[in-house]
Amino acid sequence: MVATADERSEMIAVAAYYLAEHRGFGSGSATDDWLKAEQQIDHMLETIRRQGISRLQFERAGLRNALRLWHSPQSQ
């Protein structure tokens, strides 16, 4: 699966929102959330590409579940 620029941007925006939600929308910044989300999404997309996961398989998992599957301790 290769994401378009628009798809990638939307994934990052959703992931950044979830990161902010996870920290209770308290201390921290939207920029930090965006940068962390960008790193996580790029890592996830690269892993998906390397493993040959199809767009259909990815869409079935959904972004939130996909983030859980591809979340690694290094990205925290």
Side-chain angles (χ1 to χ4, degrees), residues 15 19 36-45 67 71 75:
L19 290 170
K36 186 174 181 180
E38 187 174 42
Q39 181 183 34
Q40 290 176 346
I41 293 297
D42 287 345
H43 178 263
M44 181 184 71
L45 289 172
L67 287 170
H71 185 37
S75 61

Side-chain angles (χ1 to χ4, degrees), residues 41-55:
I41 293 297
D42 287 345
H43 178 263
M44 181 184 71
L45 289 172
E46 178 59 25
T47 302
I48 286 169
R49 187 192 64 75
R50 279 196 321 260
Q51 292 185 358
I53 294 171
S54 72
R55 180 175 291 277

Side-chain angles (χ1 to χ4, degrees), residues 4-23:
T4 67
D6 287 342
E7 288 171 329
R8 179 182 171 272
S9 183
E10 183 178 345
M11 288 178 196
I12 293 168
V14 169
Y17 176 85
Y18 289 142
L19 290 170
E21 178 184 57
H22 181 72
R23 64 177 170 75

